[in-house]
Amino acid sequence: MMSFLKYKKILLIITGGIASYKALDLIRRLQENNVTIECILTENAKKFINLITFESLLGKKVHSNLFSLSEEKEMNHIRLANTVDAILVIPCTANFIAKMANGIADDLSSNILLASNKIKIIAPAMNSNMWNNTAVKTNLKFLSKINVKIFSPKKGRMACGSVGSGKLMEVNDIIENLNDIFSPKELSGLKIIVSAGASQERIDPVRFLSNYSSGIQGYEIAKSIQCLGAKVILITGKTNLEKPKNIKVISASNADDFYNKTVSNLPCDVFISAAAISDWKPKKKITEKIKKMGKEISITFKQNIDILEKISKHKKRPRLVIGFSAETSKLITNSKKKLLKKNCDWIIANNVKLSNVFGSSKNKVSLITKNKIENWPEMKKSQVAKKITKKIVKFFKKNKLI
Ligand SMILES: Cc1cc2nc3c(=O)[nH]c(=O)nc-3n(C[C@H](O)[C@H](O)[C@H](O)COP(=O)(O)O)c2cc1C
């Protein structure tokens, strides 16, 4: 994940609920991301967690008292409200949601929120009956309307023993969502189609021809460009990967299906063909299961449609077409040939013989364009995705297309 949290200043308000202790973990994660944190505990939060734990973790004082002259002298509460990049209320109680929705300012935290014009984010956590209560729902609806960002709780077992909605969002997801909020939306306005995973060519009703592609690289690219505001359509073969957030995911089976689903989503600004599409498909349609007969079997395969070439030469050709090339020998020569023959703009080439690329979280690739070759060192597939994303931003900026 590209971190956009570095050097951000965040005011974290912790309210009084069972999940208050989770704020400690959140602080650590924010610190790991080089975030400067100011912290306030509500009076009720102090009944759940110990101030000293927070102060030692932060290495500074927690703000708490609105009417303390010394605190006001040190850091005026209006200044605190507006010198940060965002205010987070995590966990946020039903009570605090109600206060925020009604403009109540009877303690330091609620005063600061009223006085601030910065980004406001809340992550509610409460018993599921409370979460489902109409008063809470109405308050949340209103907060959303006045631009407070809500990191919704998830389902799970609550401290009170009941199972249902209301559990604080996982800290990892909080960090990820926060990162999304701060990401510069350099690709906003662009529509990008990414294909990922392996195709499956049906042989008979129970068998298919496929390959080892895990889909990781394509999914990482889709997530990375979405993070910069692009509208992403991910056309994917079967994978074990989690469905990425805020991305339209379309399932595809064989090459023809991948192609049709890509074409029906044109026009787009960029097409990234990271799916491993079978070059071959069985020549004949076999309607019955092939029986075990004799010692050998031969099936005739014929060439499949070449999606990359078709899209690159399509009348609605995207401004930028990026292909992937998996070769076991003559990587650069073969990839360069592919680039020219297929008329695509860039090829991301990897040697699938050298390392265990399929299913691995790492990749060593070369970026090949019409006039240059860049050999990138081995790195995580998420890093490769980020590098490709940066290149896309640069391409569109250079050509003054965004
Ligand atoms: C043991 C216990 C656990 C509580 N847990 C929660 C909770 O998880 N979520 C919530 O909204 N309120 C919870 N409450 C109620 C709040 O503590 C109460 O509404 C309080 O006024 C919140 O104050 P604050 O919003 O100023 O921090 C709990 C209360 C008790 C006694």
Side-chain angles (χ1 to χ4, degrees):
M1 184 175 70
M2 221 180 288
S3 179
F4 300 107
L5 297 176
K6 207 171 179 182
Y7 309 134
K8 290 280 180 272
K9 269 185 94 172
I10 281 176
L11 169 63
L12 175 64
I13 296 173
I14 301 154
T15 66
I18 288 285
S20 308
Y21 73 96
K22 292 186 180 168
L24 286 168
D25 192 21
L26 177 64
I27 290 173
R28 293 213 65 136
R29 292 296 311 279
L30 290 171
Q31 285 172 332
E32 281 164 19
N33 280 279
N34 291 309
V35 173
T36 305
I37 311 160
E38 296 293 336
C39 195
I40 305 179
L41 265 62
T42 63
E43 282 311 303
N44 287 321
K46 289 184 209 160
K47 293 176 186 140
F48 289 84
I49 42 179
N50 198 331
L51 203 64
I52 193 80
T53 320
F54 281 82
E55 292 192 333
S56 33
L57 187 60
L58 285 166
K60 61 178 157 189
K61 266 182 84 78
V62 162
H63 308 273
S64 53
N65 194 344
L66 177 62
F67 300 107
S68 148
L69 189 59
S70 59
E71 272 201 32
E72 273 295 295
K73 258 190 191 160
E74 241 174 64
M75 172 70 100
N76 171 285
H77 76 270
I78 303 287
R79 193 152 66 85
L80 184 56
N82 289 300
T83 51
V84 291
D85 297 297
I87 304 180
L88 266 57
V89 189
I90 299 178
C92 187
T93 58
N95 174 60
F96 207 82
I97 289 170
K99 283 180 29 174
M100 281 179 76
N102 288 285
I104 292 172
D106 64 350
D107 62 1
L108 180 64
S109 314
S110 46
N111 263 278
I112 284 181
L113 279 160
L114 268 192
S116 175
N117 49 23
K118 300 293 175 179
I119 301 168
K120 293 165 194 160
I121 301 157
I122 63 168
M126 64 198 70
N127 155 284
S128 39
N129 286 343
M130 286 170 91
W131 176 246
N132 290 321
N133 188 296
T134 312
V136 175
K137 279 189 187 162
T138 310
N139 288 335
L140 281 170
K141 223 180 243 169
F142 181 70
L143 286 181
S144 176
K145 208 167 131 191
I146 59 170
N147 271 333
V148 173
K149 300 192 189 311
I150 299 159
F151 289 179
S152 291
K154 52 173 199 145
K155 276 192 182 152
R157 179 170 290 279
M158 243 86 55
C160 59
S162 67
V163 177
S165 297
K167 204 175 168 67
L168 183 70
M169 180 184 273
E170 294 288 349
V171 171
N172 268 346
D173 293 337
I174 292 177
I175 296 286
E176 206 173 291
N177 289 341
L178 205 53
N179 198 42
D180 264 3
I181 289 173
F182 283 116
S183 66
K185 304 291 182 264
E186 288 171 298
L187 294 177
S188 82
L190 295 191
K191 179 180 163 191
I192 301 184
I193 301 179
V194 182
S195 73
S199 65
Q200 289 184 349
E201 298 297 337
R202 183 185 181 281
I203 294 175
D204 71 7
V206 295
R207 302 179 180 95
F208 57 81
L209 170 71
S210 191
N211 57 66
Y212 293 120
S213 170
S214 64
I216 298 173
Q217 188 62 78
Y219 274 58
E220 288 299 336
I221 294 171
K223 286 192 276 185
S224 168
I225 54 183
Q226 189 282 325
C227 198
L228 296 198
K231 181 181 168 206
V232 182
I233 297 172
L234 176 65
I235 303 178
T236 174
K238 224 180 201 158
T239 71
N240 293 323
L241 306 171
E242 205 176 306
K243 185 176 180 289
K245 269 179 261 166
N246 303 320
I247 288 178
K248 184 174 174 191
V249 179
I250 299 171
S251 300
S253 56
N254 58 16
D256 290 323
D257 196 26
F258 266 94
Y259 176 68
N260 292 334
K261 285 173 176 161
T262 307
V263 168
S264 65
N265 280 289
L266 292 179
C268 71
D269 300 285
V270 187
F271 173 53
I272 306 170
S273 176
I277 305 290
S278 171
D279 291 331
W280 307 100
K281 65 176 174 186
K283 193 170 173 191
K284 275 198 213 133
K285 197 174 171 189
I286 302 167
T287 48
E288 299 289 331
K289 182 184 168 195
I290 303 169
K291 291 274 176 228
K292 201 155 109 187
M293 278 184 312
K295 286 249 176 333
E296 286 178 3
I297 183 172
S298 64
I299 299 168
T300 309
F301 289 97
K302 68 172 182 181
Q303 230 178 56
N304 240 334
I305 186 168
D306 190 320
I307 302 176
L308 187 59
E309 186 166 355
K310 281 266 185 193
I311 300 295
S312 289
K313 295 178 178 170
H314 198 277
K315 58 180 187 299
K316 288 185 193 162
R317 185 194 198 277
R319 188 66 189 79
L320 183 63
V321 177
I322 307 171
F324 271 72
S325 148
E327 303 282 347
T328 48
S329 63
K330 291 192 195 151
L331 179 70
I332 303 297
T333 327
N334 285 344
S335 305
K336 190 96 205 232
K337 257 191 219 159
K338 208 170 186 176
L339 177 106
L340 297 173
K341 179 180 172 280
K342 298 189 181 186
N343 188 38
C344 62
D345 300 293
W346 305 346
I347 290 266
I348 314 289
N350 53 19
N351 189 336
V352 284
K353 203 175 183 183
L354 277 183
S355 58
N356 187 15
V357 174
F358 292 117
S360 155
S361 65
K362 287 192 172 166
N363 210 352
K364 184 177 180 331
V365 303
S366 301
L367 171 75
I368 302 171
T369 66
K370 280 183 184 122
N371 41 32
K372 73 171 187 238
I373 295 167
E374 286 179 25
N375 296 312
W376 296 353
E378 184 181 60
M379 58 185 105
K380 281 191 180 161
K381 285 181 177 170
S382 55
Q383 293 298 124
V384 173
K386 275 183 221 168
K387 262 184 99 90
I388 296 171
T389 304
K390 275 191 189 156
K391 291 271 171 198
I392 297 174
V393 172
K394 221 166 137 192
F395 173 88
F396 277 87
K397 277 197 174 152
K398 198 172 131 204
N399 292 297
K400 300 200 166 40
L401 296 165
I402 41 175

